[in-house]
């Protein structure tokens, strides 16, 4: 009768050891699964951020390309002042269409003339000394500045008064 | 482990990268630029400007806009190269106590 009891204890020990091993294995699998789950969530978050950044960057780049065409129309309309000329009238219509397209995408120009120079909005390309005028006053706008979703997309290129 | 960053300090443009997920990633400035002009400036109202903003106002504030400063790193003030460079720069430089190059920036 003693032998089966001893066997039973050995079996119990084996079973207990097997349970411990399986528990350890289950814990390892759970930890591994949790780590992979966290990695997947981080990857998804990173990918979403990357895709939205890419979309914003693409929109910025397309609008910047369109702005160079808008600048050309702007320059043409400013240079040829004959408003009765039908070509100029046609150019104005196309210019207005382009401006409407920009406005639809939350892209708007901002005023620079007669404002005080601000490097957040303007890029100084020439300085003019004039003691009769306020220091850092913008006296000419060479190229219009634009904002996209209220963030500066392109600063305005300006001439600035400097009093030493 | 702490984050590892790498800085490429160029004479005209600089970049900063951070080591993330086993790969270096270049950081973007507030304006979304991956390269930043190596320019710093002190505006008339003592505001410190860095990169693109500093570059935009350079001609309105030439004495307090510092650029191409990498040329002076490791050089002595009386080196011929230093003296040649100084002639073309609008900001003020002087000899430091150990014979190197110091730049006047604002009141300092």
């Amino acid at each position: 009768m003693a032998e089966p009891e001893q066997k039973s204890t050995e079996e119990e020990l084996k079973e207990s050891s097997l349970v411990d091993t399986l528990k350890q294995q289950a814990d390892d699998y759970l930890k591994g699964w949790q780590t992979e789950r966290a990695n997947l969530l981080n990857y998804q978050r990173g990918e979403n951020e990357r895709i939205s950044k890419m979309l914003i960057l693409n929109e910025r780049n397309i609008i910047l390309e369109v702005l160079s065409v808008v600048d050309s129309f702007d320059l043409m309309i400013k240079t040829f002042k004959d408003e009765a000329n039908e070509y100029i009238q046609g150019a104005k219509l196309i210019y207005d269409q382009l401006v409407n397209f920009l406005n639809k995408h939350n892209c708007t120009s901002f005023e620079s003339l007669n404002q005080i120079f601000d490097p957040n909005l303007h890029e100084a390309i020439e300085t003019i000394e004039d003691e009769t005028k306020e220091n850092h006053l913008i006296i000419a706008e060479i190229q219009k500045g634009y904002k996209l979703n209220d963030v500066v997309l392109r600063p305005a290129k300006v001439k600035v008064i400097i009093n030493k | 482990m702490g984050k590892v960053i790498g800085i490429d300090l160029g004479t005209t443009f600089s970049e900063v990268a951070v080591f993330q997920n086993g790969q270096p990633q270049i950081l973007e400035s507030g304006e979304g630029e991956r390269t930043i002009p190596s320019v710093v400036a002190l505006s008339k109202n003592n505001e410190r400007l860095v990169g693109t903003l500093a570059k935009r106002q350079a001609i309105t504030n030439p004495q307090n806009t510092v650029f191409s400063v990498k040329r002076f790193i490791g050089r002595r003030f009386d080196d011929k190269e230093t003296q040649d460079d100084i002639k073309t720069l609008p900001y003020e430089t002087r000899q430091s106590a150990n014979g190197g190059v110091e730049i006047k920036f604002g009141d300092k």
Side-chain angles (χ1 to χ4, degrees), chain B residues 25-68:
Chain B
Q25 279 186 318
I26 296 170
L27 298 181
E28 288 171 1
S29 72
E31 283 104 17
E33 299 158 314
R34 288 156 66 88
T35 54
I36 299 155
S38 306
V39 185
V40 288
L42 201 64
S43 71
K44 297 276 184 239
N45 39 11
N46 276 338
E47 190 189 356
R48 204 173 286 181
L49 303 167
V50 179
T52 305
L53 292 190
K55 198 178 171 188
R56 278 182 199 161
Q57 57 83 64
I59 64 162
T60 67
N61 183 25
Q63 282 161 340
N64 279 313
T65 303
V66 179
F67 58 93
S68 293

Side-chain angles (χ1 to χ4, degrees), chain B residues 6-106:
Chain B
I7 300 171
D8 167 12
L9 178 65
T11 306
T12 48
F13 285 92
S14 296
E15 287 175 66
V16 180
V18 63
F19 208 68
Q20 255 175 358
N21 304 326
Q23 277 194 328
Q25 279 186 318
I26 296 170
L27 298 181
E28 288 171 1
S29 72
E31 283 104 17
E33 299 158 314
R34 288 156 66 88
T35 54
I36 299 155
S38 306
V39 185
V40 288
L42 201 64
S43 71
K44 297 276 184 239
N45 39 11
N46 276 338
E47 190 189 356
R48 204 173 286 181
L49 303 167
V50 179
T52 305
L53 292 190
K55 198 178 171 188
R56 278 182 199 161
Q57 57 83 64
I59 64 162
T60 67
N61 183 25
Q63 282 161 340
N64 279 313
T65 303
V66 179
F67 58 93
S68 293
V69 77
K70 197 176 119 174
R71 294 178 190 190
F72 300 130
I73 296 175
R75 287 207 184 278
R76 297 186 64 76
F77 186 76
D78 43 19
D79 281 352
K80 187 185 175 301
E81 289 85 353
T82 307
Q83 288 305 312
D84 286 347
D85 284 342
I86 283 171
K87 282 178 204 155
T88 63
L89 296 173
Y91 51 84
E92 204 179 311
T93 51
R94 62 189 169 217
Q95 187 164 16
S96 70
N98 61 5
V101 184
E102 262 183 12
I103 291 158
K104 188 173 179 287
F105 196 55

